[in-house]
PDB file of all heavy atoms in Angstrom:
ATOM      1  N   ILE C   4      14.290  20.016 -27.720  1.00  0.00           N
ATOM      2  CA  ILE C   4      14.379  18.579 -27.452  1.00  0.00           C
ATOM      3  C   ILE C   4      13.683  17.825 -28.580  1.00  0.00           C
ATOM      4  O   ILE C   4      12.550  18.150 -28.926  1.00  0.00           O
ATOM      5  CB  ILE C   4      13.703  18.229 -26.110  1.00  0.00           C
ATOM      6  CG1 ILE C   4      14.352  19.025 -24.975  1.00  0.00           C
ATOM      7  CG2 ILE C   4      13.786  16.732 -25.828  1.00  0.00           C
ATOM      8  CD1 ILE C   4      13.621  18.894 -23.661  1.00  0.00           C
ATOM      9  N   ILE C   6      12.630  13.996 -29.883  1.00  0.00           N
ATOM     10  CA  ILE C   6      12.478  12.591 -29.511  1.00  0.00           C
ATOM     11  C   ILE C   6      12.223  11.810 -30.786  1.00  0.00           C
ATOM     12  O   ILE C   6      11.335  12.177 -31.557  1.00  0.00           O
ATOM     13  CB  ILE C   6      11.251  12.417 -28.583  1.00  0.00           C
ATOM     14  CG1 ILE C   6      11.328  13.340 -27.384  1.00  0.00           C
ATOM     15  CG2 ILE C   6      11.078  10.965 -28.171  1.00  0.00           C
ATOM     16  CD1 ILE C   6      12.427  13.042 -26.442  1.00  0.00           C
ATOM     17  N   LEU C   9      11.248   6.721 -29.791  1.00  0.00           N
ATOM     18  CA  LEU C   9      11.622   6.316 -28.450  1.00  0.00           C
ATOM     19  C   LEU C   9      10.747   5.160 -27.987  1.00  0.00           C
ATOM     20  O   LEU C   9       9.526   5.195 -28.118  1.00  0.00           O
ATOM     21  CB  LEU C   9      11.453   7.516 -27.507  1.00  0.00           C
ATOM     22  CG  LEU C   9      12.167   7.418 -26.177  1.00  0.00           C
ATOM     23  CD1 LEU C   9      13.665   7.323 -26.394  1.00  0.00           C
ATOM     24  CD2 LEU C   9      11.851   8.653 -25.351  1.00  0.00           C
ATOM     25  N   THR C  43       5.182   9.263 -17.420  1.00  0.00           N
ATOM     26  CA  THR C  43       6.323   9.339 -16.520  1.00  0.00           C
ATOM     27  C   THR C  43       7.533   8.639 -17.136  1.00  0.00           C
ATOM     28  O   THR C  43       8.646   9.144 -17.084  1.00  0.00           O
ATOM     29  CB  THR C  43       5.970   8.716 -15.163  1.00  0.00           C
ATOM     30  OG1 THR C  43       4.891   9.466 -14.605  1.00  0.00           O
ATOM     31  CG2 THR C  43       7.147   8.747 -14.221  1.00  0.00           C
ATOM     32  N   THR C  44       7.289   7.486 -17.738  1.00  0.00           N
ATOM     33  CA  THR C  44       8.389   6.737 -18.355  1.00  0.00           C
ATOM     34  C   THR C  44       9.067   7.587 -19.433  1.00  0.00           C
ATOM     35  O   THR C  44      10.293   7.651 -19.507  1.00  0.00           O
ATOM     36  CB  THR C  44       7.856   5.427 -18.948  1.00  0.00           C
ATOM     37  OG1 THR C  44       7.138   4.740 -17.924  1.00  0.00           O
ATOM     38  CG2 THR C  44       8.977   4.556 -19.453  1.00  0.00           C
ATOM     39  N   THR C  45       8.259   8.252 -20.266  1.00  0.00           N
ATOM     40  CA  THR C  45       8.832   9.113 -21.309  1.00  0.00           C
ATOM     41  C   THR C  45       9.677  10.220 -20.684  1.00  0.00           C
ATOM     42  O   THR C  45      10.811  10.465 -21.094  1.00  0.00           O
ATOM     43  CB  THR C  45       7.693   9.737 -22.153  1.00  0.00           C
ATOM     44  OG1 THR C  45       6.880   8.690 -22.668  1.00  0.00           O
ATOM     45  CG2 THR C  45       8.252  10.562 -23.288  1.00  0.00           C
ATOM     46  N   LEU C  46       9.119  10.858 -19.660  1.00  0.00           N
ATOM     47  CA  LEU C  46       9.822  11.969 -19.019  1.00  0.00           C
ATOM     48  C   LEU C  46      11.120  11.491 -18.373  1.00  0.00           C
ATOM     49  O   LEU C  46      12.162  12.148 -18.467  1.00  0.00           O
ATOM     50  CB  LEU C  46       8.918  12.608 -17.962  1.00  0.00           C
ATOM     51  CG  LEU C  46       9.347  13.989 -17.495  1.00  0.00           C
ATOM     52  CD1 LEU C  46       9.131  14.987 -18.612  1.00  0.00           C
ATOM     53  CD2 LEU C  46       8.562  14.417 -16.263  1.00  0.00           C
ATOM     54  N   ARG C  47      11.055  10.323 -17.738  1.00  0.00           N
ATOM     55  CA  ARG C  47      12.247   9.792 -17.070  1.00  0.00           C
ATOM     56  C   ARG C  47      13.327   9.416 -18.080  1.00  0.00           C
ATOM     57  O   ARG C  47      14.510   9.481 -17.776  1.00  0.00           O
ATOM     58  CB  ARG C  47      11.879   8.600 -16.193  1.00  0.00           C
ATOM     59  CG  ARG C  47      11.113   9.017 -14.935  1.00  0.00           C
ATOM     60  CD  ARG C  47      10.547   7.821 -14.207  1.00  0.00           C
ATOM     61  NE  ARG C  47      11.586   6.891 -13.810  1.00  0.00           N
ATOM     62  CZ  ARG C  47      12.268   6.970 -12.672  1.00  0.00           C
ATOM     63  NH1 ARG C  47      12.000   7.927 -11.826  1.00  0.00           N
ATOM     64  NH2 ARG C  47      13.195   6.098 -12.388  1.00  0.00           N
ATOM     65  N   MET C  48      12.896   9.030 -19.275  1.00  0.00           N
ATOM     66  CA  MET C  48      13.894   8.737 -20.310  1.00  0.00           C
ATOM     67  C   MET C  48      14.562  10.031 -20.780  1.00  0.00           C
ATOM     68  O   MET C  48      15.758  10.059 -21.018  1.00  0.00           O
ATOM     69  CB  MET C  48      13.244   7.995 -21.477  1.00  0.00           C
ATOM     70  CG  MET C  48      12.972   6.539 -21.151  1.00  0.00           C
ATOM     71  SD  MET C  48      12.582   5.558 -22.610  1.00  0.00           S
ATOM     72  CE  MET C  48      10.906   6.052 -22.930  1.00  0.00           C
ATOM     73  N   ILE C  49      13.768  11.102 -20.880  1.00  0.00           N
ATOM     74  CA  ILE C  49      14.371  12.388 -21.269  1.00  0.00           C
ATOM     75  C   ILE C  49      15.362  12.822 -20.185  1.00  0.00           C
ATOM     76  O   ILE C  49      16.424  13.353 -20.465  1.00  0.00           O
ATOM     77  CB  ILE C  49      13.284  13.468 -21.478  1.00  0.00           C
ATOM     78  CG1 ILE C  49      12.314  13.046 -22.576  1.00  0.00           C
ATOM     79  CG2 ILE C  49      13.927  14.813 -21.838  1.00  0.00           C
ATOM     80  CD1 ILE C  49      11.149  14.005 -22.786  1.00  0.00           C
ATOM     81  N   ALA C  50      15.013  12.538 -18.928  1.00  0.00           N
ATOM     82  CA  ALA C  50      15.861  12.960 -17.813  1.00  0.00           C
ATOM     83  C   ALA C  50      17.105  12.100 -17.675  1.00  0.00           C
ATOM     84  O   ALA C  50      18.110  12.533 -17.126  1.00  0.00           O
ATOM     85  CB  ALA C  50      15.065  12.903 -16.512  1.00  0.00           C
ATOM     86  N   GLY C  51      17.028  10.859 -18.155  1.00  0.00           N
ATOM     87  CA  GLY C  51      18.160   9.961 -17.971  1.00  0.00           C
ATOM     88  C   GLY C  51      18.023   9.094 -16.737  1.00  0.00           C
ATOM     89  O   GLY C  51      18.972   8.459 -16.298  1.00  0.00           O
ATOM     90  N   LEU C  52      16.828   9.061 -16.158  1.00  0.00           N
ATOM     91  CA  LEU C  52      16.602   8.205 -14.991  1.00  0.00           C
ATOM     92  C   LEU C  52      16.204   6.801 -15.431  1.00  0.00           C
ATOM     93  O   LEU C  52      16.167   5.868 -14.650  1.00  0.00           O
ATOM     94  CB  LEU C  52      15.504   8.799 -14.108  1.00  0.00           C
ATOM     95  CG  LEU C  52      15.873  10.128 -13.460  1.00  0.00           C
ATOM     96  CD1 LEU C  52      14.683  10.711 -12.715  1.00  0.00           C
ATOM     97  CD2 LEU C  52      17.044   9.938 -12.508  1.00  0.00           C
ATOM     98  N   GLU C  53      15.879   6.699 -16.729  1.00  0.00           N
ATOM     99  CA  GLU C  53      15.502   5.412 -17.304  1.00  0.00           C
ATOM    100  C   GLU C  53      16.168   5.388 -18.664  1.00  0.00           C
ATOM    101  O   GLU C  53      16.158   6.402 -19.359  1.00  0.00           O
ATOM    102  CB  GLU C  53      13.985   5.375 -17.452  1.00  0.00           C
ATOM    103  CG  GLU C  53      13.353   4.035 -17.341  1.00  0.00           C
ATOM    104  CD  GLU C  53      13.073   3.667 -15.892  1.00  0.00           C
ATOM    105  OE1 GLU C  53      12.203   4.270 -15.253  1.00  0.00           O
ATOM    106  OE2 GLU C  53      13.759   2.750 -15.410  1.00  0.00           O
ATOM    107  N   LEU C  54      16.781   4.270 -19.030  1.00  0.00           N
ATOM    108  CA  LEU C  54      17.418   4.221 -20.339  1.00  0.00           C
ATOM    109  C   LEU C  54      16.450   3.641 -21.353  1.00  0.00           C
ATOM    110  O   LEU C  54      15.797   2.636 -21.080  1.00  0.00           O
ATOM    111  CB  LEU C  54      18.700   3.386 -20.280  1.00  0.00           C
ATOM    112  CG  LEU C  54      19.818   3.992 -19.435  1.00  0.00           C
ATOM    113  CD1 LEU C  54      21.057   3.106 -19.481  1.00  0.00           C
ATOM    114  CD2 LEU C  54      20.165   5.402 -19.891  1.00  0.00           C
ATOM    115  N   PRO C  55      16.336   4.267 -22.536  1.00  0.00           N
ATOM    116  CA  PRO C  55      15.405   3.758 -23.544  1.00  0.00           C
ATOM    117  C   PRO C  55      15.843   2.395 -24.066  1.00  0.00           C
ATOM    118  O   PRO C  55      17.040   2.101 -24.103  1.00  0.00           O
ATOM    119  CB  PRO C  55      15.457   4.808 -24.651  1.00  0.00           C
ATOM    120  CG  PRO C  55      16.554   5.743 -24.327  1.00  0.00           C
ATOM    121  CD  PRO C  55      17.028   5.495 -22.950  1.00  0.00           C
ATOM    122  N   ILE C  60      17.195  10.518 -28.203  1.00  0.00           N
ATOM    123  CA  ILE C  60      16.763  11.750 -27.553  1.00  0.00           C
ATOM    124  C   ILE C  60      17.837  12.793 -27.845  1.00  0.00           C
ATOM    125  O   ILE C  60      19.013  12.577 -27.535  1.00  0.00           O
ATOM    126  CB  ILE C  60      16.648  11.558 -26.034  1.00  0.00           C
ATOM    127  CG1 ILE C  60      15.645  10.455 -25.703  1.00  0.00           C
ATOM    128  CG2 ILE C  60      16.260  12.870 -25.354  1.00  0.00           C
ATOM    129  CD1 ILE C  60      15.729   9.980 -24.275  1.00  0.00           C
ATOM    130  N   ILE C  62      19.018  16.622 -27.070  1.00  0.00           N
ATOM    131  CA  ILE C  62      18.841  17.876 -26.353  1.00  0.00           C
ATOM    132  C   ILE C  62      19.834  18.844 -26.969  1.00  0.00           C
ATOM    133  O   ILE C  62      21.041  18.578 -26.944  1.00  0.00           O
ATOM    134  CB  ILE C  62      19.099  17.712 -24.842  1.00  0.00           C
ATOM    135  CG1 ILE C  62      18.106  16.712 -24.246  1.00  0.00           C
ATOM    136  CG2 ILE C  62      18.981  19.057 -24.132  1.00  0.00           C
ATOM    137  CD1 ILE C  62      18.243  16.488 -22.760  1.00  0.00           C
ATOM    138  N   VAL C  67      21.550  12.178 -26.378  1.00  0.00           N
ATOM    139  CA  VAL C  67      21.884  11.911 -24.975  1.00  0.00           C
ATOM    140  C   VAL C  67      21.224  10.640 -24.470  1.00  0.00           C
ATOM    141  O   VAL C  67      21.295  10.338 -23.283  1.00  0.00           O
ATOM    142  CB  VAL C  67      21.456  13.085 -24.069  1.00  0.00           C
ATOM    143  CG1 VAL C  67      22.217  14.342 -24.415  1.00  0.00           C
ATOM    144  CG2 VAL C  67      19.957  13.328 -24.161  1.00  0.00           C
ATOM    145  N   GLY C  68      20.573   9.901 -25.367  1.00  0.00           N
ATOM    146  CA  GLY C  68      19.756   8.749 -24.965  1.00  0.00           C
ATOM    147  C   GLY C  68      20.389   7.824 -23.940  1.00  0.00           C
ATOM    148  O   GLY C  68      19.719   7.357 -23.034  1.00  0.00           O
ATOM    149  N   GLN C  69      21.679   7.558 -24.061  1.00  0.00           N
ATOM    150  CA  GLN C  69      22.301   6.594 -23.155  1.00  0.00           C
ATOM    151  C   GLN C  69      23.205   7.268 -22.118  1.00  0.00           C
ATOM    152  O   GLN C  69      23.959   6.603 -21.420  1.00  0.00           O
ATOM    153  CB  GLN C  69      23.108   5.558 -23.958  1.00  0.00           C
ATOM    154  CG  GLN C  69      22.314   4.809 -25.011  1.00  0.00           C
ATOM    155  CD  GLN C  69      21.241   3.897 -24.403  1.00  0.00           C
ATOM    156  OE1 GLN C  69      21.405   3.369 -23.313  1.00  0.00           O
ATOM    157  NE2 GLN C  69      20.128   3.732 -25.106  1.00  0.00           N
ATOM    158  N   LYS C  70      23.102   8.592 -22.023  1.00  0.00           N
ATOM    159  CA  LYS C  70      23.950   9.299 -21.054  1.00  0.00           C
ATOM    160  C   LYS C  70      23.320   9.325 -19.681  1.00  0.00           C
ATOM    161  O   LYS C  70      22.097   9.383 -19.561  1.00  0.00           O
ATOM    162  CB  LYS C  70      24.139  10.743 -21.520  1.00  0.00           C
ATOM    163  CG  LYS C  70      25.309  10.929 -22.439  1.00  0.00           C
ATOM    164  CD  LYS C  70      25.599  12.409 -22.524  1.00  0.00           C
ATOM    165  CE  LYS C  70      26.676  12.708 -23.532  1.00  0.00           C
ATOM    166  NZ  LYS C  70      26.775  14.141 -23.757  1.00  0.00           N
ATOM    167  N   PRO C  71      24.115   9.331 -18.617  1.00  0.00           N
ATOM    168  CA  PRO C  71      23.531   9.419 -17.282  1.00  0.00           C
ATOM    169  C   PRO C  71      22.905  10.797 -17.029  1.00  0.00           C
ATOM    170  O   PRO C  71      23.282  11.791 -17.657  1.00  0.00           O
ATOM    171  CB  PRO C  71      24.722   9.186 -16.345  1.00  0.00           C
ATOM    172  CG  PRO C  71      25.923   9.496 -17.153  1.00  0.00           C
ATOM    173  CD  PRO C  71      25.578   9.200 -18.579  1.00  0.00           C
ATOM    174  N   ALA C  72      21.966  10.806 -16.093  1.00  0.00           N
ATOM    175  CA  ALA C  72      21.213  12.023 -15.796  1.00  0.00           C
ATOM    176  C   ALA C  72      22.133  13.201 -15.485  1.00  0.00           C
ATOM    177  O   ALA C  72      21.886  14.331 -15.906  1.00  0.00           O
ATOM    178  CB  ALA C  72      20.289  11.763 -14.620  1.00  0.00           C
ATOM    179  N   SER C  73      23.215  12.913 -14.742  1.00  0.00           N
ATOM    180  CA  SER C  73      24.051  14.008 -14.271  1.00  0.00           C
ATOM    181  C   SER C  73      24.739  14.745 -15.417  1.00  0.00           C
ATOM    182  O   SER C  73      25.209  15.857 -15.249  1.00  0.00           O
ATOM    183  CB  SER C  73      25.093  13.471 -13.291  1.00  0.00           C
ATOM    184  OG  SER C  73      25.797  12.406 -13.873  1.00  0.00           O
ATOM    185  N   GLN C  74      24.784  14.114 -16.595  1.00  0.00           N
ATOM    186  CA  GLN C  74      25.473  14.771 -17.710  1.00  0.00           C
ATOM    187  C   GLN C  74      24.529  15.474 -18.671  1.00  0.00           C
ATOM    188  O   GLN C  74      24.944  15.956 -19.715  1.00  0.00           O
ATOM    189  CB  GLN C  74      26.297  13.730 -18.479  1.00  0.00           C
ATOM    190  CG  GLN C  74      27.521  13.301 -17.701  1.00  0.00           C
ATOM    191  CD  GLN C  74      28.252  12.177 -18.401  1.00  0.00           C
ATOM    192  OE1 GLN C  74      28.180  12.032 -19.610  1.00  0.00           O
ATOM    193  NE2 GLN C  74      28.941  11.362 -17.627  1.00  0.00           N
ATOM    194  N   ARG C  75      23.237  15.508 -18.325  1.00  0.00           N
ATOM    195  CA  ARG C  75      22.293  16.067 -19.301  1.00  0.00           C
ATOM    196  C   ARG C  75      21.939  17.522 -19.024  1.00  0.00           C
ATOM    197  O   ARG C  75      21.293  18.158 -19.838  1.00  0.00           O
ATOM    198  CB  ARG C  75      21.021  15.230 -19.325  1.00  0.00           C
ATOM    199  CG  ARG C  75      21.304  13.829 -19.806  1.00  0.00           C
ATOM    200  CD  ARG C  75      20.043  13.098 -20.161  1.00  0.00           C
ATOM    201  NE  ARG C  75      20.346  11.693 -20.413  1.00  0.00           N
ATOM    202  CZ  ARG C  75      19.472  10.818 -20.860  1.00  0.00           C
ATOM    203  NH1 ARG C  75      18.229  11.192 -21.086  1.00  0.00           N
ATOM    204  NH2 ARG C  75      19.818   9.575 -21.060  1.00  0.00           N
ATOM    205  N   ASP C  76      22.308  18.012 -17.865  1.00  0.00           N
ATOM    206  CA  ASP C  76      22.040  19.394 -17.505  1.00  0.00           C
ATOM    207  C   ASP C  76      20.552  19.739 -17.612  1.00  0.00           C
ATOM    208  O   ASP C  76      20.164  20.689 -18.267  1.00  0.00           O
ATOM    209  CB  ASP C  76      22.869  20.348 -18.379  1.00  0.00           C
ATOM    210  CG  ASP C  76      22.844  21.769 -17.823  1.00  0.00           C
ATOM    211  OD1 ASP C  76      22.487  21.917 -16.638  1.00  0.00           O
ATOM    212  OD2 ASP C  76      23.160  22.704 -18.569  1.00  0.00           O
ATOM    213  N   ILE C  77      19.754  18.929 -16.956  1.00  0.00           N
ATOM    214  CA  ILE C  77      18.325  19.210 -16.929  1.00  0.00           C
ATOM    215  C   ILE C  77      17.906  19.273 -15.455  1.00  0.00           C
ATOM    216  O   ILE C  77      18.648  18.861 -14.573  1.00  0.00           O
ATOM    217  CB  ILE C  77      17.515  18.115 -17.641  1.00  0.00           C
ATOM    218  CG1 ILE C  77      18.019  16.743 -17.220  1.00  0.00           C
ATOM    219  CG2 ILE C  77      17.636  18.214 -19.135  1.00  0.00           C
ATOM    220  CD1 ILE C  77      17.204  16.074 -16.248  1.00  0.00           C
ATOM    221  N   ALA C  78      16.722  19.837 -15.198  1.00  0.00           N
ATOM    222  CA  ALA C  78      16.201  19.835 -13.832  1.00  0.00           C
ATOM    223  C   ALA C  78      14.891  19.075 -13.825  1.00  0.00           C
ATOM    224  O   ALA C  78      14.158  19.086 -14.805  1.00  0.00           O
ATOM    225  CB  ALA C  78      15.985  21.264 -13.357  1.00  0.00           C
ATOM    226  N   PHE C  79      14.640  18.385 -12.735  1.00  0.00           N
ATOM    227  CA  PHE C  79      13.461  17.527 -12.649  1.00  0.00           C
ATOM    228  C   PHE C  79      12.684  17.906 -11.402  1.00  0.00           C
ATOM    229  O   PHE C  79      13.263  18.006 -10.326  1.00  0.00           O
ATOM    230  CB  PHE C  79      13.931  16.070 -12.555  1.00  0.00           C
ATOM    231  CG  PHE C  79      12.902  15.048 -12.949  1.00  0.00           C
ATOM    232  CD1 PHE C  79      13.000  14.385 -14.165  1.00  0.00           C
ATOM    233  CD2 PHE C  79      11.853  14.737 -12.112  1.00  0.00           C
ATOM    234  CE1 PHE C  79      12.069  13.426 -14.528  1.00  0.00           C
ATOM    235  CE2 PHE C  79      10.914  13.782 -12.485  1.00  0.00           C
ATOM    236  CZ  PHE C  79      11.021  13.127 -13.696  1.00  0.00           C
ATOM    237  N   VAL C  80      11.385  18.139 -11.549  1.00  0.00           N
ATOM    238  CA  VAL C  80      10.560  18.395 -10.366  1.00  0.00           C
ATOM    239  C   VAL C  80       9.669  17.179 -10.172  1.00  0.00           C
ATOM    240  O   VAL C  80       8.879  16.834 -11.048  1.00  0.00           O
ATOM    241  CB  VAL C  80       9.704  19.664 -10.533  1.00  0.00           C
ATOM    242  CG1 VAL C  80       8.825  19.877  -9.315  1.00  0.00           C
ATOM    243  CG2 VAL C  80      10.603  20.867 -10.759  1.00  0.00           C
ATOM    244  N   PHE C  81       9.836  16.514  -9.030  1.00  0.00           N
ATOM    245  CA  PHE C  81       9.102  15.275  -8.786  1.00  0.00           C
ATOM    246  C   PHE C  81       7.720  15.566  -8.226  1.00  0.00           C
ATOM    247  O   PHE C  81       7.492  16.595  -7.598  1.00  0.00           O
ATOM    248  CB  PHE C  81       9.866  14.408  -7.793  1.00  0.00           C
ATOM    249  CG  PHE C  81      11.162  13.887  -8.330  1.00  0.00           C
ATOM    250  CD1 PHE C  81      12.319  14.638  -8.223  1.00  0.00           C
ATOM    251  CD2 PHE C  81      11.226  12.654  -8.949  1.00  0.00           C
ATOM    252  CE1 PHE C  81      13.519  14.171  -8.721  1.00  0.00           C
ATOM    253  CE2 PHE C  81      12.418  12.180  -9.454  1.00  0.00           C
ATOM    254  CZ  PHE C  81      13.565  12.933  -9.331  1.00  0.00           C
ATOM    255  N   CYS C 154      16.688  22.548 -19.550  1.00  0.00           N
ATOM    256  CA  CYS C 154      15.226  22.465 -19.561  1.00  0.00           C
ATOM    257  C   CYS C 154      14.711  21.932 -18.234  1.00  0.00           C
ATOM    258  O   CYS C 154      15.460  21.375 -17.441  1.00  0.00           O
ATOM    259  CB  CYS C 154      14.743  21.591 -20.711  1.00  0.00           C
ATOM    260  SG  CYS C 154      15.218  19.891 -20.511  1.00  0.00           S
ATOM    261  N   PHE C 155      13.429  22.138 -18.012  1.00  0.00           N
ATOM    262  CA  PHE C 155      12.771  21.656 -16.803  1.00  0.00           C
ATOM    263  C   PHE C 155      11.855  20.507 -17.155  1.00  0.00           C
ATOM    264  O   PHE C 155      11.081  20.602 -18.103  1.00  0.00           O
ATOM    265  CB  PHE C 155      11.909  22.756 -16.182  1.00  0.00           C
ATOM    266  CG  PHE C 155      12.697  23.920 -15.721  1.00  0.00           C
ATOM    267  CD1 PHE C 155      12.567  25.146 -16.336  1.00  0.00           C
ATOM    268  CD2 PHE C 155      13.584  23.786 -14.670  1.00  0.00           C
ATOM    269  CE1 PHE C 155      13.306  26.225 -15.914  1.00  0.00           C
ATOM    270  CE2 PHE C 155      14.326  24.861 -14.245  1.00  0.00           C
ATOM    271  CZ  PHE C 155      14.187  26.085 -14.872  1.00  0.00           C
ATOM    272  N   LEU C 156      11.944  19.444 -16.381  1.00  0.00           N
ATOM    273  CA  LEU C 156      11.027  18.330 -16.558  1.00  0.00           C
ATOM    274  C   LEU C 156      10.198  18.240 -15.284  1.00  0.00           C
ATOM    275  O   LEU C 156      10.746  18.205 -14.183  1.00  0.00           O
ATOM    276  CB  LEU C 156      11.807  17.041 -16.784  1.00  0.00           C
ATOM    277  CG  LEU C 156      12.867  17.094 -17.886  1.00  0.00           C
ATOM    278  CD1 LEU C 156      13.580  15.753 -18.000  1.00  0.00           C
ATOM    279  CD2 LEU C 156      12.256  17.477 -19.217  1.00  0.00           C
ATOM    280  N   MET C 157       8.891  18.242 -15.426  1.00  0.00           N
ATOM    281  CA  MET C 157       8.043  18.224 -14.234  1.00  0.00           C
ATOM    282  C   MET C 157       7.033  17.096 -14.342  1.00  0.00           C
ATOM    283  O   MET C 157       6.285  17.010 -15.311  1.00  0.00           O
ATOM    284  CB  MET C 157       7.296  19.550 -14.099  1.00  0.00           C
ATOM    285  CG  MET C 157       8.216  20.742 -14.147  1.00  0.00           C
ATOM    286  SD  MET C 157       7.328  22.238 -13.728  1.00  0.00           S
ATOM    287  CE  MET C 157       8.652  23.421 -13.926  1.00  0.00           C
ATOM    288  N   VAL C 188       9.000  20.580 -19.935  1.00  0.00           N
ATOM    289  CA  VAL C 188       8.154  19.433 -20.272  1.00  0.00           C
ATOM    290  C   VAL C 188       7.380  19.080 -19.014  1.00  0.00           C
ATOM    291  O   VAL C 188       7.966  18.872 -17.953  1.00  0.00           O
ATOM    292  CB  VAL C 188       8.986  18.214 -20.730  1.00  0.00           C
ATOM    293  CG1 VAL C 188       8.060  17.121 -21.233  1.00  0.00           C
ATOM    294  CG2 VAL C 188       9.971  18.621 -21.798  1.00  0.00           C
TER     295      VAL C 188
ATOM    296  N   GLU I 207      17.311  10.099  -7.059  1.00  0.00           N
ATOM    297  CA  GLU I 207      17.182  10.534  -8.449  1.00  0.00           C
ATOM    298  C   GLU I 207      17.373  12.038  -8.543  1.00  0.00           C
ATOM    299  O   GLU I 207      18.004  12.540  -9.472  1.00  0.00           O
ATOM    300  CB  GLU I 207      15.825  10.102  -8.996  1.00  0.00           C
ATOM    301  CG  GLU I 207      15.759   8.584  -9.128  1.00  0.00           C
ATOM    302  CD  GLU I 207      14.415   8.080  -9.606  1.00  0.00           C
ATOM    303  OE1 GLU I 207      13.430   8.830  -9.512  1.00  0.00           O
ATOM    304  OE2 GLU I 207      14.371   6.928 -10.067  1.00  0.00           O
ATOM    305  N   LEU I 210      20.974  12.591  -8.443  1.00  0.00           N
ATOM    306  CA  LEU I 210      21.609  12.221  -9.724  1.00  0.00           C
ATOM    307  C   LEU I 210      21.445  13.359 -10.719  1.00  0.00           C
ATOM    308  O   LEU I 210      22.377  13.722 -11.430  1.00  0.00           O
ATOM    309  CB  LEU I 210      20.958  10.963 -10.291  1.00  0.00           C
ATOM    310  CG  LEU I 210      21.256   9.654  -9.582  1.00  0.00           C
ATOM    311  CD1 LEU I 210      20.580   8.500 -10.307  1.00  0.00           C
ATOM    312  CD2 LEU I 210      22.752   9.409  -9.518  1.00  0.00           C
ATOM    313  N   ILE I 211      20.225  13.902 -10.749  1.00  0.00           N
ATOM    314  CA  ILE I 211      19.962  14.986 -11.693  1.00  0.00           C
ATOM    315  C   ILE I 211      20.715  16.246 -11.286  1.00  0.00           C
ATOM    316  O   ILE I 211      21.158  17.021 -12.126  1.00  0.00           O
ATOM    317  CB  ILE I 211      18.446  15.214 -11.787  1.00  0.00           C
ATOM    318  CG1 ILE I 211      17.863  14.104 -12.646  1.00  0.00           C
ATOM    319  CG2 ILE I 211      18.124  16.577 -12.353  1.00  0.00           C
ATOM    320  CD1 ILE I 211      16.391  14.063 -12.691  1.00  0.00           C
ATOM    321  N   ASP I 212      20.881  16.426  -9.988  1.00  0.00           N
ATOM    322  CA  ASP I 212      21.633  17.590  -9.515  1.00  0.00           C
ATOM    323  C   ASP I 212      23.116  17.461  -9.819  1.00  0.00           C
ATOM    324  O   ASP I 212      23.907  18.317  -9.427  1.00  0.00           O
ATOM    325  CB  ASP I 212      21.437  17.777  -8.007  1.00  0.00           C
ATOM    326  CG  ASP I 212      20.076  18.369  -7.695  1.00  0.00           C
ATOM    327  OD1 ASP I 212      19.398  18.806  -8.633  1.00  0.00           O
ATOM    328  OD2 ASP I 212      19.692  18.399  -6.515  1.00  0.00           O
TER     329      ASP I 212
END
Side-chain angles (χ1 to χ4, degrees):
Chain C
I4 302 172
I6 306 294
L9 197 62
T43 299
T44 307
T45 305
L46 196 70
R47 288 170 59 87
M48 284 194 284
I49 300 176
L52 294 174
E53 210 86 69
L54 293 182
I60 301 166
I62 299 181
V67 296
Q69 304 294 329
K70 272 195 186 170
S73 53
Q74 287 174 27
R75 296 194 189 186
D76 193 18
I77 45 102
F79 201 105
V80 178
F81 293 87
C154 66
F155 296 113
L156 308 179
M157 307 189 182
V188 187
Chain I
E207 292 177 342
L210 288 182
I211 283 172
D212 284 349

